[in-house]
Amino acid sequence: MIASYVGENKEFERQFLSGELEVELTPQGTLGRKAACRRCWYYCFFTKTGVGTQVAIGKEIRQFDGEDYIMERSLVADVALVKAYKADKAGNLIFRHTARNFNPDIATAMIRGGKVNLAILGAMEVSEHGDLANWMIPDKMVKGMGGAMDLVAGVQRVIVLMEHVAKDGSFKIKPNCTLPLTGQKVVHRIITDLAVLDITNNGLTLIELADGVDFEELQHKTGVRIIEK
């Protein structure tokens, strides 16, 4: 199974975690491009999406203009399921509302083309360097990266919204992420229930404290040193 997102499909998740189902998790934009490229007789392409993550393991990495890119092979699909408003017997499709001018292909092109200024995402962990982990807890939970890897690789600025600490009280802001990465050095700002923090060249910098929270409490609940602005 090649998929980008498991979502709330508990049976899919169970089979994947138990090893019953062999799954290749692929970023949503990459999956779409794999199919599109083969239609045009391109057998591979290079993308920044997934660099430095599990997606890149075992794949060829090349540098273009000083940046790393992953080589992805295209794939052939025998059948495509398309959601449309109407269809005729000849196979012509009619779309309606925003589907007429905005769809996954256009969204991916906008993201990968750097046309999106800002993305706001949740997170399980963020490192002091801006690394982001938000799609999998090994052996426990897997949602799939969906379009998150495409977003963080293509947008100009990433903001994370999350609770400051995990349910068990452990740090979510750490020196290095321990969970599989969504992207390396991609997060610019973290907004939690305790504070607003920016990731800068000098380190994790406090921008604003939540009402009723002092700096000592914030530092105690953060796994790295915070710089007071």
Side-chain angles (χ1 to χ4, degrees):
M1 171 71 72
I2 301 174
S4 68
Y5 187 62
V6 177
E8 305 306 319
N9 190 325
K10 295 299 182 182
E11 180 59 20
F12 190 158
E13 183 179 50
R14 184 195 67 78
Q15 290 187 29
F16 173 70
L17 293 175
S18 67
E20 296 176 36
L21 182 65
E22 184 177 347
V23 178
E24 179 184 336
L25 288 169
T26 303
Q28 185 175 1
T30 299
L31 185 60
R33 190 54 50 197
K34 280 174 173 281
C37 281
R38 195 59 179 265
R39 292 199 305 268
C40 300
W41 299 102
Y42 295 123
Y43 283 82
C44 67
F45 60 96
F46 287 88
T47 176
K48 290 172 61 178
T49 300
V51 169
T53 74
Q54 286 189 354
V55 168
I57 295 174
K59 296 177 181 176
E60 181 178 345
I61 307 294
R62 290 192 189 181
Q63 277 202 349
F64 298 97
D65 297 328
E67 293 190 85
D68 288 341
Y69 287 76
I70 302 170
M71 189 183 81
E72 296 281 1
R73 298 188 63 178
S74 59
L75 57 85
V76 175
D78 296 321
V79 177
L81 300 179
V82 179
K83 184 178 180 180
Y85 174 53
K86 291 181 180 179
D88 62 23
K89 293 181 180 180
N92 298 306
L93 303 177
I94 297 175
F95 297 90
R96 63 173 180 169
H97 303 318
T98 56
R100 290 178 297 177
N101 53 25
F102 190 80
N103 54 60
D105 283 341
I106 293 177
T108 299
M110 290 176 63
I111 292 166
R112 294 193 172 198
K115 306 300 183 182
V116 179
N117 296 327
L118 176 69
I120 301 175
L121 301 170
M124 299 172 186
E125 293 179 346
V126 179
S127 82
E128 63 180 332
H129 312 293
D131 301 334
L132 171 66
N134 76 345
W135 65 276
M136 181 180 184
I137 301 175
D139 301 322
K140 291 183 66 177
M141 183 277 290
V142 55
K143 296 295 184 185
M145 67 286 292
M149 284 190 181
D150 299 291
L151 277 171
V152 300
V155 301
Q156 299 173 27
R157 183 172 171 82
V158 174
I159 295 176
V160 163
L161 300 182
M162 67 178 188
E163 292 184 349
H164 203 88
V165 297
K167 291 180 180 178
D168 62 1
S170 60
F171 298 137
K172 296 182 70 172
I173 302 174
K174 304 180 173 185
N176 296 287
C177 293
T178 57
L179 297 175
L181 294 182
T182 307
Q184 282 185 320
K185 298 181 179 179
V186 295
V187 178
H188 299 87
R189 172 165 287 187
I190 306 169
I191 301 176
T192 77
D193 50 323
L194 301 184
V196 178
L197 302 151
D198 277 355
I199 293 173
T200 70
N201 293 331
N202 296 322
L204 188 66
T205 302
L206 175 63
I207 302 301
E208 183 179 354
L209 283 168
D211 292 342
V213 178
D214 58 34
F215 182 79
E216 288 71 23
E217 178 188 358
L218 179 67
Q219 183 62 80
H220 180 70
K221 294 181 177 180
T222 307
V224 300
R225 185 176 71 87
I226 301 172
I227 300 169
E228 291 188 86
K229 192 171 181 179

